[in-house]
Amino acid sequence: GTRDWPGASYIRDAGLRHFDGVVFVTAGAFSDAEVDLMNQLMGFKVPYYVVRNKVDQDVLNNKEDNDVGVEETLHEIREELEGY
């Protein structure tokens, strides 16, 4: 949340509980605010969808930094996303 849009009342104030669905786009790990928003959406039974971008860059970085292959990196990313 922000000063103008506090996290505790964001769904109500923005009217998200009336949406047919919400799309989250991320290039990395979710912030605590985003996770809280997802939890609130679940409470209102509003479906949400997660789009993970820049996967190609994460694959390259993980190979260069940790010598981890493509499939293992993709598996790690999928496991992380399944938690949401």
Side-chain angles (χ1 to χ4, degrees):
T2 66
R3 184 176 47 89
D4 295 331
W5 292 91
S9 62
Y10 184 82
I11 288 191
R12 182 192 69 231
D13 297 343
L16 292 182
R17 65 180 177 210
H18 304 293
F19 281 32
D20 292 328
V22 175
V23 178
F24 290 88
V25 179
T26 184
F30 289 106
S31 69
D32 290 339
E34 290 166 326
V35 172
D36 184 51
L37 185 57
M38 289 175 193
N39 289 329
Q40 289 182 51
L41 288 168
M42 283 191 291
F44 284 109
K45 297 183 177 20
V46 175
Y48 64 88
Y49 310 92
V50 176
V51 176
R52 179 62 161 76
N53 64 359
K54 298 188 179 181
V55 171
D56 56 339
Q57 189 62 54
D58 284 338
V59 167
L60 290 173
N61 291 343
N62 212 15
K63 179 65 175 169
E64 289 176 9
D65 296 345
N66 305 308
D67 198 29
V68 175
V70 173
E71 291 303 318
E72 187 175 345
T73 299
L74 294 176
H75 179 74
E76 290 173 5
I77 291 171
R78 285 186 190 108
E79 278 189 337
E80 180 183 331
L81 291 174
E82 287 173 356
Y84 300 104

